[in-house]
Amino acid sequence: MRIGELDIDRPVILAPMEDVTDRSFRRICKRFGADIVYTEFISSEALRRGIDKIVHKMRLEERERPAVIQLFGDSPEAMAEAASIAESVGPLCIDLNFGCPAKKVAGRGAGAALLKEPEKMARITAAVVKAVSVPVTVKTRLGWDLESINILDIVPRLEDAGIAALAIHGRTRSEMYRGNADWDWIARVKERAEVPVIANGDIWTAHDALAMFSHTGADAIMIGRGSIGNPFIFRQVKELLREGAVRTAAGFRDRIAVAVEHLRLSVEFKGEKRGTLEMRRHYATYLKGLPRVSRVRNLLVREEDWRQVIDILLSYESECEGYEREGKIREYAEFLNDHSKRLVLK
Ligand SMILES: Cc1cc2nc3c(=O)[nH]c(=O)nc-3n(C[C@H](O)[C@H](O)[C@H](O)COP(=O)(O)O)c2cc1C
């Protein structure tokens, strides 16, 4: 896929996720092989007003580049102004969020609400394209609901407005995150689009990623929830694409080591208090499926001192070594090459 200065064969992309894809998580996903990472969505109004916390969200480090800054809003002027502020940070591109189903966004006429106003969507896009010199991309859904799927009407409008690529989540707004993403619709979008298409929705394993490429013919794939607590997925997709098989596992030692690294980065970037608090949402996914984990999870989400959190994680690692010796945790190399669970508990 060619975008701006960048030319990568079958890129694997970290999806934008509010409260998840902050600097620390982006850095970790990058280290595991994500080709491109997205920031959390950023309110164009808040950015325009220079609100500190929001300006902070678009800070990009050298080592996480190429990175994309995602904006949301419902006004062409605010979006254009915010985009030129975001451009000063040097992102690979500016992405416009026309897919968020949440009430606080879509309820105010932004995000997925713009699927009901394709003309306005195109006007916002054209205003942003005019305001910046980096490429502008759009991330959206299939339509507002199953009765009003209009993505094939939207694609040429966005292309006329000057987008450089389109990321498409194969659900409608009404579906939120329910049911299955419709990969057939993504394939139709790819057939119609002249710009590169980034396919998104329900990639949970490396094999799903490969299937998404072949089912849709997309130029790139984007992984969201499948990477939470599991940044290893990027390395595994790369192995599968290059070598035809997944080579590396993600056992309890890897998971705990990355959880510790994530916490350290979170504290470094956000300070001791916020960094520790905001990590709480991640422990359940890092430790998912491990034996007797609920007691440890409860301790982790109550502890306020990050050094103590690390101690709890490391002592749980020793506990898991015991379970391993007793044969209670078996890691299968071969499970990585099918769709079964990562850890098989006896
Ligand atoms: C916690 C969470 C936060 C999200 N925040 C954003 C966001 O800020 N911008 C956006 O375009 N999509 C956001 N999404 C949607 C994802 O980018 C992605 O489109 C969706 O989760 C489907 O992909 P997946 O099945 O790989 O998770 C979010 C999803 C989740 C689960």
Side-chain angles (χ1 to χ4, degrees), residues 203-211 230 233 236-237 240 244-248 331-344:
I203 297 174
W204 297 100
T205 67
H207 285 269
D208 292 340
L210 202 65
N230 186 31
I233 193 170
Q236 293 168 348
V237 174
L240 192 57
V246 175
R247 305 274 178 216
T248 54
E331 281 184 40
Y332 287 120
E334 65 268 27
F335 75 66
L336 292 165
N337 287 315
D338 64 35
H339 279 240
S340 60
K341 284 225 180 325
R342 262 168 225 109
L343 289 163
V344 180

Side-chain angles (χ1 to χ4, degrees), residues 28-50:
I28 287 170
C29 290
K30 194 83 200 180
R31 185 163 76 67
F32 279 102
D35 292 301
I36 300 172
V37 297
Y38 278 54
T39 63
E40 305 167 71
F41 63 23
I42 291 174
S43 155
S44 53
E45 288 293 349
L47 189 56
R48 209 180 178 193
R49 278 184 267 130

Side-chain angles (χ1 to χ4, degrees), residues 136-250:
V136 175
T137 57
V138 159
K139 178 168 177 285
T140 189
R141 292 185 175 226
L142 302 175
W144 181 257
D145 57 26
L146 289 170
E147 285 68 51
S148 62
I149 290 181
N150 56 350
I151 188 65
L152 297 182
D153 164 51
I154 283 171
V155 170
R157 291 174 190 255
L158 294 175
E159 287 177 335
D160 287 346
I163 59 165
L166 178 73
I168 181 82
H169 175 191
R171 285 187 174 84
T172 61
R173 190 271 175 183
S174 302
E175 289 173 290
M176 306 293 280
Y177 295 92
R178 287 186 296 272
N180 297 319
D182 191 331
W183 292 8
D184 290 341
W185 264 108
I186 301 178
R188 266 173 235 153
V189 171
K190 170 61 194 164
E191 234 168 66
R192 167 69 65 93
E194 284 168 17
V195 294
V197 168
I198 302 166
N200 170 240
D202 295 351
I203 297 174
W204 297 100
T205 67
H207 285 269
D208 292 340
L210 202 65
M212 178 68 105
F213 271 120
S214 60
H215 193 93
T216 63
D219 303 272
I221 54 142
M222 175 182 268
I223 305 176
R225 293 164 298 167
S227 69
I228 302 179
N230 186 31
F232 317 97
I233 193 170
F234 292 104
R235 183 173 65 192
Q236 293 168 348
V237 174
K238 291 281 164 170
E239 289 168 349
L240 192 57
L241 288 174
R242 284 192 199 126
E243 302 167 45
V246 175
R247 305 274 178 216
T248 54

